[in-house]
Amino acid sequence: MPHKQPVLDLSPKVSDEVRKTTCYMCACRCGINVHMKKDPLGDLKVAYIEGNRDHPVNKGVLCAKGSAGIMQHNAPSRLRSPMKRVGERGSGEFEEISWDEAYTIAESWLRPIRETNPEKLAFFTGRDQSQSFTSLWAQSFGTPNYAAHGGFCSVNMAAAGIYTMGGAFWEFGQPDWDHTKLFMLFGVAEDHDSNPIKMGIGKIKARGARVIGVNPIRTGYNAVADDWVGITPGTDGLFILSMIHCLIQAGKIDLHYLAQYTDAAVLINGDEKSPEYGLKLRDTDGKEQVIDRITGKLAPFDRKGVKPDLAASHRAKGITHRPVFHQMAAMYLDNQYAPEAVAERCGISAQRIRALAAELARVAFEEAFELDHEWTDFRGEHHKTMTGRPVSFHAMRGISAHANGFQTCRALHTLQILLGTVEVPGGFRFKPPYPKPATAHPKPHCKVTAGASLDGPHLGFVHGPDDLALKDDGSPARIDKAFTWENPMSSHGLMHMVISNAYAGDPYKIDTLFMYMANMSWNSSMNTTGVTQMLTDKDESGEYVIPRIIYSDAYSSEMVAYADLILPDTTYLERHDCISLLDRPICEADAMADAIRWPVVEPDRNVKGFQSALCDLGARLGLPAFTNEDGTQKYADYADYIVNHERRPGVGPLAGWRTGENGLQNGRGDVNASQLDNYIANGGFFVEHIPEGANYYKPWNADYQNWAVKMGLYDSPQPYLFTLYSEPMRRFQLAAEGHGKRQPPDHLRAQIKDKMSPLPIWYETDQHGNEGYTITALTQRPMAMYHSWGSQNAWLRQLHGRNPMYLPSKLMRAHDLSDGDWAEITSPHGAITVPVMEMAALNENTIWTWNAIGKRKGAWALDENAPEATKGFLLNHLIHELLPPKGDGLRWANSDPITGQAAWFDLKVAVRKVDAPADSESQPSMPPMKSPVGKGPSELKWKVGK
């Protein structure tokens, strides 16, 4: 008999309908096609997710996280209804209630605060993507106590970039993947910007370009780098400044670029006796002054035809003013930055430092090229071509999350600028709405008035002591102490200090802590055990020290158990979101773009998008931004807000498909009631490309500046100089030296004077209390995860269900350890006992593990014996939000003293081999929590349609 072949359907029906929206599984915000199939009842359900090939961010590429979003949407840990606590905090005992009752409770807590003392509300949001909206809500409420997660993530990178050149890496810009020939990346975890970076690295490697990875850990992007530099953690700034030393010494810097487009030629007051010592010379209009090489006379930097002189000085009224470049040469040519002087601390040989600097110079100058793009600069000079310097850089949290991170990030930006590789072909390029210098951003506001809105935005960029958020008596105006003498330039706030400060009543007590999607009782908190105690501790009267906690999340995270009132959020496929030019857009270097999410499915639970809940709550409280003149609710929900809110006339959350005299138009325009429908029809995004010739040299390109005004990015052209010399930092130094009316407390004078150098420096982080703890311990997120919500995804759990501590070969041998052995890891703050594994491609004095894998028993609907809850662990138990006591009675934050960014990566530990715990569970093992959603099934599977 003939062999019977099986009948195979080689073209199965994938879906009944495709709905295009934006991914939420990391901060890339890729475009996705959500395939829908009908279930037996005829309802459309999510069946499959793939990348959208038309999308400007990912062009169809989708990572494991994005594909696994279907599991996130169906997760058993999803919250189902508003809840109020009925047991003790931390018990997990809740009662489901209606939304009306939830709003009534929230209103009863919040209305008295607003009517008497709005600062008693601390409103802080986690890794959401609607910060312009949540900021508006808090500002309208009237509290100064608002910020998002940037203060414990990457404010050093963002603030250093904006203060130095008007933008930074990640959402602010990207390498010129089409032209770069040498790409150097520092400290980038592989979950950050993963699809665009993977695509970019693939593109440049296909052309034969070289990739250099600088990271203590060789995983992810560093694993495919042509050259890996396993640097000692926290010394990146010293390494960068040593390369700058080599480049200046060899004359391998772009003098034309420095003179024309930076403040290198701007004159600085050199009289040590002057109250303006170290400040820039300005004319009566406040314009920075240079010497014009053509006339030899003073001129404002932006005068038509001016050719700034890097060498000339100016003397007037007995004071000599020298250009910034003089000070840079004097500082960085000092032998303290010579490779031989820094090699041992950096863990990189002097020969290799010199070779890397030489390679940067060789590619930047010997492989320079020209593009036939004509353009006109802001001084009116017409250029026939654009000079390309094909060296590009990228960096993120690895160099940012140290107590010297702000100056390190400034040093990296300075390195780029010296090579002339920013906003040129082949280099680093800004994404609209950047570049925007610090002076184009608001300053922080903190004036509180009972029953009224705050007097302006909470967050911003200070330019001197007068901009600090201080009360009349000099005490901090904010609960996190942002914008104070302790951390003057804290542009994103200090979210990691909120609970600790509120508990201590320092600088004052609060009444209600209101948080969104911030897992502050677990992996998003330093001092995890201590924070849970602060959340549950009671005062002498038996009341909680932090009286009320409102929390919103989509999932039953560890933080849920510590709240008094739960407002359940939707999943990202069930709500509207706005990836806005006012916030964190999806732009590319050649185009402005924004995007939406929309409910491709309706929730099957009693949940509501948090932003829509804020619209309801804001109206009930009578907040001006959320009510009409007659007192009625202004925005029915977040979708209504997205369409109808205008931040400035003609400028709203979305730039696409606005209305004008001749119909639909982009950028500026009136409200379009069908705007969301237009976005949905276009795949969930809008994009408009920058005209050719305007897409490079953006800060100085007249065509780009005019296009940006037309599109609503600016209200007027705003050309500016890159800031190698930070005058705001010098103003703080002057105050520390005794100048000015607003003076720092005496105990902070030395810190401000030493750390706030106007030119980038490197300094060792505070090692007080670390005696005997000599090994650096780090965490990083894996590419298949993004945050704590990722590892309860059934598909992704198969990749990362547990996490060992990785040790380099040298430490494994020194402690007689083998794979699978257990070690006790101790810090000045605590101890953990965990399994270890050997990793050869690791800095020899560094250990590390994956972040956010370990889970609290009972959270996330996981079984108590799940590997995340038994074998998984957190380094957070070893980290404290405060430095070890110095005996001076002061609370010194474990943060960068300039921005307040959490210094996660300064953790020092000791290692000791131990026997496995009796139950073979990682320690500490915290008591189980009661889950308000129960446990998920032992097997999670389903099939939609046939």
Side-chain angles (χ1 to χ4, degrees):
M1 294 179 65
H3 180 68
K4 292 184 178 180
Q5 295 293 332
V7 178
L8 298 177
D9 183 358
L10 299 180
S11 299
K13 185 178 180 181
V14 176
S15 54
D16 296 307
E17 183 178 331
V18 177
R19 297 177 176 177
K20 299 176 184 290
T21 185
T22 306
C23 188
Y24 194 64
M25 295 297 285
C26 81
C28 281
R29 289 79 50 85
C30 294
I32 54 175
N33 297 337
V34 182
H35 289 261
M36 314 291 292
K37 277 188 177 182
K38 292 181 180 179
D39 66 11
L41 298 177
D43 296 325
L44 286 171
K45 300 292 179 67
V46 179
Y48 173 62
I49 297 175
E50 66 176 353
N52 179 354
R53 297 188 179 191
D54 298 322
H55 199 274
V57 171
N58 59 313
K59 299 176 176 62
V61 174
L62 200 61
C63 67
K65 298 186 299 294
S67 299
I70 186 172
M71 299 290 292
Q72 208 70 21
H73 168 66
N74 291 290
S77 60
R78 292 172 300 163
L79 297 173
R80 296 188 289 254
S81 175
M83 299 184 294
K84 65 179 180 182
R85 178 177 56 81
V86 294
E88 294 292 303
R89 267 197 207 154
S91 67
E93 296 179 2
F94 291 93
E95 175 185 303
E96 291 191 356
I97 57 177
S98 67
W99 275 100
D100 185 66
E101 184 177 355
Y103 285 150
T104 299
I105 293 172
E107 182 183 356
S108 71
W109 293 350
L110 297 176
R111 182 178 293 280
I113 297 174
R114 185 169 192 272
E115 291 175 350
T116 57
N117 193 351
E119 71 181 10
K120 294 292 185 180
L121 170 66
F123 180 55
F124 287 78
T125 63
R127 196 171 298 278
D128 74 294
Q129 295 162 14
S130 61
Q131 292 163 18
S132 65
F133 172 83
T134 50
S135 175
L136 177 69
W137 194 94
Q139 183 181 334
S140 191
F141 186 92
T143 179
N145 293 318
Y146 165 82
H149 80 285
F152 63 70
C153 180
S154 58
V155 65
N156 276 337
M157 181 57 67
I162 288 174
Y163 273 110
T164 305
M165 58 185 192
F169 303 115
W170 187 209
E171 286 139 336
F172 303 89
Q174 64 186 161
D176 186 356
W177 299 114
D178 291 328
H179 297 103
T180 196
K181 297 180 182 178
L182 179 61
F183 177 47
M184 179 180 274
L185 69 165
F186 288 75
V188 180
E190 43 260 47
D191 71 311
H192 270 99
D193 203 12
S194 60
N195 287 332
I197 289 183
K198 287 182 292 188
M199 293 160 61
I201 289 177
K203 180 181 288 188
I204 66 174
K205 285 180 79 72
R207 287 203 320 270
R210 188 157 170 246
V211 178
I212 302 173
V214 183
N215 196 316
I217 306 163
R218 189 168 197 183
T219 59
Y221 309 129
N222 293 277
V224 299
D226 300 285
D227 194 0
W228 172 60
V229 182
I231 195 168
T232 299
T235 66
D236 304 80
L238 191 58
F239 166 56
I240 293 165
L241 293 176
S242 186
M243 289 197 294
I244 288 175
H245 169 93
C246 296
L247 292 169
I248 296 178
Q249 191 176 59
K252 295 295 186 179
I253 53 179
D254 192 332
L255 296 175
H256 174 78
Y257 185 96
L258 290 170
Q260 293 293 108
Y261 308 128
T262 81
D263 66 353
V266 171
L267 298 166
I268 303 294
N269 184 317
D271 184 359
E272 295 183 7
K273 297 180 181 179
S274 169
E276 295 184 345
Y277 173 51
L279 299 184
K280 294 179 176 180
L281 183 64
R282 299 174 183 271
D283 64 12
T284 55
D285 294 326
K287 294 286 184 67
E288 296 158 307
Q289 296 280 283
V290 299
I291 298 292
D292 183 5
R293 281 194 289 111
I294 307 301
T295 65
K297 296 181 180 180
L298 280 178
F301 80 91
D302 59 349
R303 179 180 292 172
K304 301 297 183 184
V306 163
K307 302 287 187 183
D309 194 330
L310 291 173
S313 60
H314 174 74
R315 187 167 178 82
K317 298 180 181 179
I319 297 176
T320 298
H321 297 80
R322 293 185 175 85
V324 166
F325 188 64
H326 280 206
Q327 299 202 28
M328 293 185 69
M331 175 180 285
Y332 299 130
L333 286 175
D334 191 286
N335 283 334
Q336 67 172 311
Y337 296 114
E340 292 74 16
V342 310
E344 184 175 355
R345 277 175 291 178
C346 295
I348 309 168
S349 71
Q351 181 181 8
R352 196 173 189 201
I353 294 173
R354 291 189 183 278
L356 289 166
E359 180 70 358
L360 292 175
R362 185 192 66 78
V363 177
F365 298 108
E366 295 181 24
E367 298 194 28
F369 62 96
E370 302 289 327
L371 291 184
D372 292 328
H373 292 336
E374 294 191 28
W375 69 288
T376 302
D377 69 27
F378 66 102
R379 295 189 183 96
E381 182 177 354
H382 186 74
H383 306 264
K384 291 289 187 180
T385 62
M386 294 179 170
T387 300
R389 302 221 179 273
V391 174
S392 58
F393 297 85
H394 188 72
M396 201 51 203
R397 189 178 178 190
I399 68 170
S400 185
H402 296 278
N404 57 23
F406 181 76
Q407 290 284 24
T408 293
C409 294
R410 289 187 65 224
L412 181 54
H413 298 316
T414 298
L415 173 61
Q416 297 185 91
I417 292 168
L418 287 171
L419 289 169
T421 65
V422 180
E423 260 308 312
V424 303
F428 170 81
R429 305 176 63 200
F430 293 116
K431 302 177 183 180
Y434 296 91
K436 289 196 296 185
T439 51
H441 292 265
K443 296 179 180 180
H445 293 72
C446 62
K447 184 180 178 182
V448 175
T449 303
S453 300
L454 200 66
D455 61 331
H458 318 72
L459 305 174
F461 290 80
V462 301
H463 300 284
D466 292 343
D467 299 331
L468 292 177
L470 300 174
K471 295 185 176 181
D472 292 340
D473 62 2
S475 65
R478 292 173 53 108
I479 189 65
D480 60 358
K481 300 186 182 179
F483 309 110
T484 66
W485 294 105
E486 291 186 32
N487 26 252
M489 303 170 84
S490 43
S491 302
H492 288 178
L494 282 76
M495 190 168 175
H496 55 290
M497 293 302 300
V498 172
I499 292 172
S500 176
N501 288 355
Y503 177 80
D506 178 19
Y508 48 78
K509 293 283 188 180
I510 65 168
D511 180 275
T512 298
L513 176 63
F514 191 178
M515 305 192 91
Y516 172 49
M517 210 170 71
N519 201 10
M520 298 306 291
S521 72
W522 197 243
N523 63 283
S524 290
S525 179
M526 297 168 133
N527 186 18
T528 301
T529 303
V531 166
T532 58
Q533 293 173 346
M534 295 176 200
L535 294 173
T536 55
D537 201 11
K538 296 182 178 181
D539 59 23
E540 295 178 354
S541 67
E543 299 296 322
Y544 287 110
V545 175
I546 299 175
R548 299 176 181 88
I549 300 175
I550 305 173
Y551 185 59
S552 179
D553 204 319
Y555 306 100
S556 181
S557 69
E558 285 86 356
M559 185 62 200
V560 165
Y562 295 93
D564 305 308
L565 178 65
I566 299 295
L567 306 179
D569 194 17
T570 65
T571 72
Y572 74 103
L573 296 178
E574 299 170 322
R575 66 162 177 259
H576 283 97
D577 271 328
C578 180
I579 302 95
S580 169
L581 285 158
L582 302 178
D583 202 345
R584 303 171 69 189
I586 60 163
C587 298
E588 294 295 293
D590 285 319
M592 64 179 286
D594 54 24
I596 66 165
R597 296 186 187 92
W598 59 283
V600 298
V601 289
E602 292 296 325
D604 59 359
R605 308 164 317 286
N606 188 24
V607 298
K608 183 175 294 191
F610 177 67
Q611 294 80 5
S612 291
L614 284 184
C615 290
D616 295 341
L617 193 53
R620 292 180 69 132
L621 291 168
L623 305 188
F626 292 86
T627 51
N628 297 308
E629 291 183 3
D630 62 0
T632 57
Q633 184 163 337
K634 189 170 187 177
Y635 305 114
D637 53 23
Y638 191 41
D640 190 12
Y641 165 90
I642 293 170
V643 170
N644 290 295
H645 175 73
E646 287 189 294
R647 191 57 55 98
R648 310 193 309 277
V651 177
L654 293 173
W657 296 284
R658 306 189 69 81
T659 60
E661 292 182 359
N662 299 315
L664 294 179
Q665 62 188 43
N666 298 324
R668 297 178 186 270
D670 295 330
V671 168
N672 168 18
S674 300
Q675 189 179 38
L676 293 180
D677 292 333
N678 294 126
Y679 270 81
I680 293 169
N682 196 57
F685 67 92
F686 152 78
V687 62
E688 178 146 329
H689 290 272
I690 301 169
E692 186 173 300
N695 52 350
Y696 290 100
Y697 293 91
K698 294 186 185 81
W700 321 291
N701 189 322
D703 286 342
Y704 176 79
Q705 294 286 319
N706 292 332
W707 178 84
V709 172
K710 173 189 171 185
M711 298 304 296
L713 301 179
Y714 314 144
D715 287 334
S716 62
Q718 298 181 21
Y720 63 95
L721 298 176
F722 283 169
T723 306
L724 296 165
Y725 184 95
S726 175
E727 193 172 47
M729 299 181 78
R730 178 58 195 152
R731 292 188 185 279
F732 284 106
Q733 281 188 326
L734 280 172
E737 292 165 5
H739 298 284
K741 294 181 180 179
R742 189 171 254 190
Q743 289 289 295
D746 288 341
H747 72 279
L748 290 173
R749 287 186 187 275
Q751 174 174 286
I752 292 168
K753 190 172 180 179
D754 294 344
K755 303 298 191 298
M756 298 193 71
S757 166
L759 290 174
I761 59 172
W762 181 86
Y763 52 85
E764 178 62 90
T765 56
D766 192 336
Q767 297 300 307
H768 175 80
N770 279 337
E771 296 80 7
Y773 301 94
T774 59
I775 301 167
T776 302
L778 304 175
T779 63
Q780 65 177 28
R781 290 196 299 272
M783 195 174 285
M785 303 290 181
Y786 178 57
H787 209 258
S788 52
W789 67 71
S791 62
Q792 49 86 54
N793 181 307
W795 290 346
L796 300 182
R797 287 182 65 202
Q798 298 176 65
L799 301 176
H800 295 287
R802 62 188 71 191
N803 55 309
M805 181 70 78
Y806 292 99
L807 273 65
S809 301
K810 181 178 178 180
L811 291 179
M812 291 288 283
R813 304 295 176 269
H815 296 281
D816 190 29
L817 289 164
S818 299
D819 285 357
D821 285 344
W822 289 70
E824 182 185 58
I825 315 296
T826 57
S827 75
H829 175 59
I832 59 176
T833 303
V834 297
V836 301
M837 288 190 70
E838 182 174 349
M839 180 176 175
L842 179 59
N843 177 273
E844 66 177 17
N845 204 44
T846 300
I847 66 176
W848 75 279
T849 192
W850 297 118
N851 183 34
I853 303 299
K855 294 291 182 286
R856 180 83 179 265
K857 292 181 179 180
W860 300 100
L862 293 175
D863 187 270
E864 291 179 7
N865 295 316
E868 293 92 337
T870 55
K871 296 296 190 296
F873 64 91
L874 298 178
L875 268 188
N876 306 52
H877 296 294
L878 302 181
I879 309 173
H880 204 289
E881 76 276 8
L882 301 175
L883 293 172
K886 299 182 180 182
D888 55 10
L890 300 172
R891 301 174 80 240
W892 294 86
N894 183 17
S895 306
D896 189 300
I898 300 171
T899 65
Q901 167 155 354
W904 292 96
F905 293 166
D906 287 345
L907 175 63
K908 298 292 186 180
V909 300
V911 175
R912 183 173 68 92
K913 182 179 181 179
V914 296
D915 293 332
D919 55 6
S920 294
E921 292 190 5
S922 298
Q923 302 296 317
S925 180
M926 303 181 75
M929 312 171 82
K930 183 177 180 181
S931 172
V933 297
K935 296 180 183 179
S938 57
E939 292 186 7
L940 185 61
K941 57 184 178 181
W942 72 95
K943 183 175 179 65
V944 179
K946 295 181 179 179

